[in-house]
């Protein structure tokens, strides 16, 4: 059960500052969850965020293919400052301000109203399910060199179904299990690259890191790959209600996860581009296993392939946790029918897991590039709403309780959002017409779906309710005053 610790008894958070206001009640009212459902502590939370965002360097190879070693390395140093750090800071502030399942849906609802809160939930859930459909694909792509039958046809279809069912069952059994599994898988994913780095030291040639061809850059592939590998920091907010003492644990976990993610990308790229002669066309999904063979032999390649496989498992599990708890949080807020709030005996969102798993199965037939592009487009729309909500809450409710608060006041909040907002515009501008049309159709469905659900609620065809343990987030509610 949640710890009942008032804000004035908590120590200051190193990443930010307490605003001196008494924090009202979200964390001090026990939620109606299963008694045996345990809270997630700091270390599992760090690795859950790691798997929400990264999972290791698998999938970053296309940055070298698109722009060469220098721009790939610079991208994973500069891009986190423009995008990852602002998004993580906003998640820390808003996630501790509203530490309940639903995360960014609650943020947008409190700032812009329930209609836009629903749109946020729809776009983020759909982008999350699209993103999760990528991991069975990547999982099998790394295994097909050892098991060629997994390259296509009926064996691949059956493998996707079996993999989805096994990982879905892990989510069903409980988030605490998922958290410690994420820790174990994270160590397994990173360890072979530590060994690869030690082996590569005599073969490193720093001049290879400086290779750049500004006239031969695929900007669309480069930006989409960077964006996909460094977003989703806000996804952990949909699990805030499952976190032990989120007011302190969430900001700390985000801080350490940012460092872990950046290092897990940068150093494997440093090894791969510095120790092996450059062949840009070879830098595609799965190329790290080939580099491992060149540097250490077949045994190291097998280790990297195994790490890639378990990494994709971890990313799948973490993403599904976020997606399913988001649906539960929306149901507790009355945005979805009440049956979405149903929990399993393990305290997990049963209906949310089933819906998310079904979406993954339906989308697993898409290609890697199509999944990444469609997910990025929808994710950008959701992030625009988050930035607006973040700034608007700072303007309208400057004195609302914020256990973790980004320094700089309202002007600082606006300035923090400008670089990532510009980046969103660039990513959207490079989207293909096909991806743009499909994504806009998905957005339009959400615009119509919310009024349809309200009509169903009015006719009482399905039951909707707002959980009594949640604080009021309307303009007249006590939380925002």
């Amino acid at each position: 059960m949640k710890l009942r610790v008032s804000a004035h008894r908590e120590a200051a958070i190193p990443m930010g500052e307490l605003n001196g206001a008494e924090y009202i009640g979200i964390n001090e009212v026990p939620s109606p969850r299963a008694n045996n459902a345990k809270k997630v502590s700091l270390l599992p939370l760090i690795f859950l965020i790691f798997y929400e965002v990264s999972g290791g360097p698998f999938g970053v190879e296309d940055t070298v293919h698109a722009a060469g070693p220098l721009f790939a390395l610079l991208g994973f140093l500069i891009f986190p400052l423009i995008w990852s750090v602002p998004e993580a800071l906003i998640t820390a502030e808003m996630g501790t301000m509203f530490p309940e399942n639903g995360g960014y849906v609650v943020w947008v609802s409190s700032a812009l109203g329930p209609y836009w809160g629903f749109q946020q939930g729809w776009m983020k859930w759909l982008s999350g399910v699209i993103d999760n459909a990528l991991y069975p694909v990547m999982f099998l792509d790394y295994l097909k060199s050892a098991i060629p039958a997994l390259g296509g046809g009926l064996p691949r279809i059956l493998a996707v179904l079996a993999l989805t069912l096994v990982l879905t069952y892990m989510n069903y059994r409980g988030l605490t299990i998922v958290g410690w599994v994420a820790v174990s898988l994270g160590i397994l994913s990173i360890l072979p690259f530590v060994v690869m780095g030690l082996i590569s030291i005599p073969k490193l040639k720093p001049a290879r890191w400086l290779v750049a061809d500004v006239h031969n850059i695929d900007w669309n592939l480069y930006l989409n790959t960077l964006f996909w590998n460094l977003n989703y920091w806000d996804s952990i907010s949909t699990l805030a209600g499952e976190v032990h003492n989120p007011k302190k644990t969430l900001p700390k976990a985000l801080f350490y996860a940012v460092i872990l993610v950046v290092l897990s990308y940068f150093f494997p790229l440093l090894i791969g581009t510095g120790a092996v002669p450059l062949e840009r066309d070879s830098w595609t999904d799965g190329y790290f296993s080939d580099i491992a063979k060149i540097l250490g032999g077949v045994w190291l390649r097998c280790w990297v392939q195994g790490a890639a496989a378990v990494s994709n498992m971890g990313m799948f599990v973490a993403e599904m946790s976020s997606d399913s708890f988001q649906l539960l949080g929306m149901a507790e807020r009355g945005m979805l029918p009440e049956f979405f709030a149903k929990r399993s005996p393990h305290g997990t969102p049963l209906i949310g897991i089933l819906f998310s798993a079904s979406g993954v199965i339906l989308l697993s037939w898409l290609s890697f590039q199509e999944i990444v592009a469609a997910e990025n487009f929808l994710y950008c729309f959701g992030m625009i709403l988050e930035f607006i909500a973040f700034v608007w809450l700072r303007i309208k409710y400057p004195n609302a309780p914020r256990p973790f608060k980004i320094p700089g006041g309202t002007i600082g909040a606006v300035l923090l959002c400008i670089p990532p907002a510009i980046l969103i515009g660039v990513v959207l501008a490079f989207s293909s017409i096909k991806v743009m049309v499909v994504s806009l159709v998905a957005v339009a469905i959400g615009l119509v779906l919310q009024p349809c659900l309200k009509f169903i609620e009015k006719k009482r065809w399905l039951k909707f309710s707002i959980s009594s343990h949640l604080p009021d987030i309307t303009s007249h509610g006590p939380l925002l005053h």
Side-chain angles (χ1 to χ4, degrees):
M1 299 302 290
K2 299 182 179 180
L3 290 181
R4 303 187 180 190
V5 182
S6 60
H8 67 274
R9 290 175 58 192
E10 293 201 11
I13 301 171
M15 285 179 61
E17 58 185 20
L18 291 171
N19 66 354
E22 180 75 14
Y23 183 68
I24 182 166
I26 297 181
N27 235 16
E28 299 172 9
V29 181
S31 62
R33 49 189 283 120
N35 291 331
N36 62 340
K38 298 179 181 179
K39 293 293 188 178
V40 182
S41 57
L42 179 62
L43 185 60
L45 188 61
I46 291 171
F47 279 91
L48 276 173
I49 298 172
F50 173 71
Y51 272 112
E52 291 276 12
V53 177
S54 168
F58 314 104
V60 305
E61 296 97 331
D62 279 329
T63 56
V64 179
H65 177 74
L70 179 61
F71 280 92
L73 293 168
L74 289 176
F76 283 104
L77 288 178
I78 298 173
F79 201 95
L81 299 176
I82 299 173
W83 180 262
S84 300
V85 171
E87 189 183 2
L89 286 171
I90 292 171
T91 299
E93 177 170 321
M94 301 302 291
T96 54
M97 189 178 179
F98 302 99
E100 60 177 276
N101 299 327
Y104 35 71
V105 177
V106 181
W107 312 346
V108 176
S109 296
S110 65
L112 307 177
Y115 179 80
W116 291 109
F118 179 88
Q119 303 310 318
Q120 172 76 354
W122 166 251
M123 286 185 288
K124 282 302 190 80
W125 179 79
L126 191 58
S127 69
V129 172
I130 293 172
D131 181 62
N132 223 10
L134 178 64
Y135 302 127
V137 172
M138 292 180 65
F139 183 95
L140 297 178
D141 283 346
Y142 269 92
L143 291 183
K144 68 183 181 182
S145 60
I147 310 174
L150 296 178
L154 182 61
R156 186 179 180 89
I157 294 173
L158 294 176
V160 167
L161 290 173
L163 184 61
T164 302
L165 290 174
V166 169
L167 298 179
T168 299
Y169 179 72
M170 291 176 62
N171 281 91
Y172 167 77
R173 284 302 305 269
L175 185 62
T176 302
I177 296 175
V178 172
W180 285 107
V181 168
V183 174
S184 302
L185 296 183
I187 294 171
L188 289 173
S189 300
I190 295 171
L191 197 56
F193 290 95
V194 174
V195 175
M196 190 188 301
L198 295 174
I199 294 174
S200 70
I201 291 175
K203 302 178 182 180
L204 290 176
K205 295 183 179 180
R208 292 171 175 166
W209 297 328
L210 304 178
V211 175
D213 183 0
V214 294
H215 303 293
N216 185 25
I217 297 177
D218 184 343
W219 290 106
N220 185 30
L221 179 62
Y222 177 67
L223 289 174
N224 264 311
T225 305
L226 280 173
F227 192 73
W228 175 69
N229 279 287
L230 288 165
N231 62 19
Y232 275 92
W233 296 96
D234 59 338
S235 292
I236 200 64
S237 67
T238 64
L239 308 174
E242 311 304 308
V243 175
H244 171 72
N245 195 9
K247 291 181 285 184
K248 294 182 67 175
T249 305
L250 185 60
K252 287 182 179 180
L254 283 163
F255 174 76
Y256 293 123
V258 168
I259 297 173
L260 180 61
V261 167
V262 172
L263 293 179
S264 72
Y265 287 147
F266 185 76
F267 281 103
L269 278 175
L270 208 63
I271 295 165
T273 54
V276 176
L278 177 63
E279 295 180 10
R280 277 180 59 173
D281 291 338
S282 299
W283 278 86
T284 56
D285 183 33
Y287 187 56
F288 273 122
S289 63
D290 295 331
I291 294 175
K293 183 181 178 182
I294 295 171
L295 294 177
V298 175
W299 67 273
L300 188 55
R301 183 184 68 175
C302 293
W303 193 2
V304 169
Q305 287 176 333
V310 298
S311 172
N312 284 296
M313 290 171 59
M315 288 187 284
F316 183 103
V317 165
E319 181 64 51
M320 180 170 284
S321 295
S322 176
D323 295 341
S324 57
F325 272 100
Q326 178 196 317
L327 295 182
L328 181 145
M330 292 176 70
E332 289 182 337
R333 283 289 176 189
M335 297 180 183
L336 292 175
E338 191 180 64
F339 62 80
F340 277 96
K342 179 178 175 59
R343 289 180 183 260
S344 73
H346 306 283
T348 51
L350 179 61
I351 305 301
I353 287 174
L354 292 176
F355 264 74
S356 298
S358 300
V360 169
I361 291 172
L362 291 173
L363 293 166
S364 292
W365 57 273
L366 294 173
S367 70
F368 181 94
Q369 291 80 11
E370 289 173 325
I371 293 173
V372 169
E375 175 266 320
N376 281 348
F377 198 96
L378 288 170
Y379 188 83
C380 284
F381 274 100
M383 286 308 303
I384 291 172
L385 285 178
E386 280 186 34
F387 292 155
I388 294 172
F390 168 64
V391 173
W392 182 243
L393 287 173
R394 278 291 190 97
I395 294 172
K396 194 172 183 180
Y397 305 106
N399 297 319
R402 291 173 171 86
F404 170 86
K405 188 174 182 180
I406 303 169
T410 302
I411 294 176
V414 173
L415 293 176
L416 183 70
C417 294
I418 290 176
I422 293 173
L423 183 61
I424 285 175
V426 174
V427 171
L428 292 177
F430 277 99
S431 299
S432 68
I433 298 298
K434 178 183 176 182
V435 169
M436 193 179 299
V437 170
V438 172
S439 300
L440 289 175
V441 169
V443 171
I445 291 173
L447 297 175
V448 176
L449 184 59
Q450 198 269 353
C452 290
L453 288 173
K454 284 297 178 184
F455 179 78
I456 291 172
E457 180 182 6
K458 183 178 180 181
K459 291 293 185 179
R460 297 185 178 180
W461 294 342
L462 291 172
K463 186 177 180 181
F464 292 72
S465 65
I466 299 177
S467 296
S468 59
H469 74 284
L470 296 177
D472 189 356
I473 59 171
T474 65
S475 59
H476 302 290
L479 174 63
L480 296 180
H481 285 278

